[in-house]
Amino acid sequence: MKVSTKSRYGMIILIDLARHDGNGPVQVGEISKRQDISVKYLEQLILQLKKANLITSIRGAKGGHVLAKDPRQITIGHVFKIFETNKNMGGCFCNQEDCRMADACRVRNVWQEAIETFYEKLESTSIADIKENICCE
Amino acid sequence: MKLSTKSRYGTRFILDLVQQKDKGAIQLSDISKRQNVSLKYLEQIIIPLKKAKYIRGIRGAKGGYVLVKSPQKITVGEIVELLEGGAEICDCCDNPKACSKSKTCLTRQVWIEAAGAFFKKLYSITFADLVKVSK
């Protein structure tokens, strides 16, 4: 069980933007250098973050990307849900029709409870919380 | 992000053994039918469970598998951790050397905490609890 690079890098982009919030638009090239992630991959992820209305892009010579929301309002859980295709971690509780064992399966509730705790943790943390986490500076 | 079928089927396998506990040794083919998991795959899944001494094979005509530990003493968390090969959800979580940025990475801590919460929940549930729920 692993978090995808998409989720991890998606968060890194948002944190990078949050740290430069107020200094005008940030270019992909700058994020790429600072975070050591290829421009090509960053562009893919930014596209998804734009679709989710978390990032706005500004055109022109001084263009770039800025956060579309207050970093306090962007939770890690939200970002995770944008990028993870298996939001229920393979637990079958969400598509009972797809699983022949659904009726007989006794462990479905266990996965559900554990996944809820996992999400509670992610929902309780915002991009701003991480940005201001001084011990990690 | 997904739990592997290994850990999910492994959990069902142990639960099946717990439910059939009073019937002596249980054959894999019976579990395969009941749980709708192929015999071949079950045979793979039980290798680590045997090594870690959760189950024991009994040879002979009435042979099969039995639990070694009592269901109160086996948590879902330990089975999932064993079959997942760890409780980490990022490579750098348990091995900071996996990434040059581990020391300063702001996201690593979040994954560690969230995975911790997830596994804490699973460790709080024993197979005896599961059987109670399913009755």
Side-chain angles (χ1 to χ4, degrees):
Chain A
M1 184 171 75
K2 288 275 187 289
V3 180
S4 67
T5 48
K6 276 190 174 176
S7 292
R8 286 188 287 126
Y9 290 176
M11 262 174 62
I12 288 171
I13 295 172
L14 292 171
I15 294 165
D16 192 290
L17 291 181
R19 288 186 145 186
H20 295 87
D21 213 15
N23 300 341
V26 179
Q27 289 181 348
V28 179
E30 296 169 47
I31 305 178
S32 167
K33 264 186 225 151
R34 274 197 294 265
Q35 306 297 344
D36 200 17
I37 304 172
S38 79
V39 170
K40 221 171 163 183
Y41 197 28
L42 283 178
E43 279 169 349
Q44 285 178 35
L45 301 178
I46 286 174
L47 198 69
Q48 280 181 265
L49 290 169
K50 269 169 78 172
K51 274 189 193 158
N53 296 321
L54 294 182
I55 287 183
T56 317
S57 304
I58 294 160
R59 293 182 181 225
K62 291 201 169 180
H65 304 279
V66 289
L67 285 184
K69 282 188 179 175
D70 185 326
R72 279 171 299 189
Q73 286 173 350
I74 307 174
T75 67
I76 308 304
H78 187 169
V79 184
F80 188 84
K81 282 178 184 162
I82 294 172
F83 291 111
E84 295 294 328
T85 42
N86 275 293
K87 293 170 187 65
N88 59 7
M89 296 190 196
C92 48
F93 54 87
C94 282
N95 333 289
Q96 294 184 26
E97 303 96 41
D98 292 352
C99 178
R100 286 168 59 192
M101 292 296 299
D103 287 336
C105 186
R106 315 288 191 200
V107 286
R108 208 188 309 150
N109 288 342
V110 175
W111 304 142
Q112 191 163 15
E113 277 179 35
I115 292 162
E116 271 167 21
T117 348
F118 180 81
Y119 272 115
E120 264 169 38
K121 192 83 213 168
L122 294 187
E123 295 291 354
S124 70
T125 315
S126 75
I127 295 288
D129 295 331
I130 300 187
K131 188 195 95 177
E132 283 153 16
N133 192 347
I134 299 160
C135 66
C136 286
E137 289 286 330
Chain B
M1 187 168 73
K2 232 180 165 180
L3 276 175
S4 67
T5 49
K6 253 192 181 177
S7 61
R8 287 186 287 130
Y9 293 175
T11 305
R12 262 162 50 188
F13 171 82
I14 297 281
L15 181 62
D16 192 294
L17 279 186
V18 173
Q19 286 171 323
Q20 311 293 323
K21 201 161 56 88
D22 303 328
K23 296 183 186 161
I26 306 296
Q27 289 188 346
L28 278 190
S29 57
D30 291 341
I31 300 182
S32 164
K33 270 183 223 150
R34 269 196 299 270
Q35 300 298 333
N36 199 20
V37 179
S38 81
L39 189 58
K40 222 171 162 182
Y41 197 31
L42 273 184
E43 281 166 351
Q44 284 179 36
I45 291 172
I46 62 170
I47 297 170
L49 294 173
K50 263 162 81 176
K51 269 193 192 158
K53 298 210 163 66
Y54 285 105
I55 58 168
R56 185 164 56 92
I58 292 168
R59 293 180 182 226
K62 290 202 167 180
Y65 286 90
V66 289
L67 277 181
V68 176
K69 289 186 184 177
S70 84
Q72 291 100 313
K73 287 188 176 156
I74 312 173
T75 67
V76 177
E78 60 191 271
I79 299 298
V80 172
E81 183 168 351
L82 175 71
L83 295 176
E84 286 290 330
E88 299 78 27
I89 56 171
C90 51
D91 291 327
C92 57
C93 289
D94 64 327
N95 176 23
K97 284 179 187 156
C99 173
S100 61
K101 292 169 165 282
S102 287
K103 266 192 175 172
T104 51
C105 181
L106 298 160
T107 57
R108 182 171 164 256
Q109 200 55 37
V110 178
W111 303 132
I112 292 175
E113 278 179 25
F118 179 79
F119 273 96
K120 197 176 162 199
K121 185 81 212 174
L122 292 185
Y123 267 96
S124 74
I125 303 166
T126 69
F127 281 87
D129 298 332
L130 266 188
V131 176
K132 267 185 237 151
V133 171
S134 64
K135 267 180 186 165

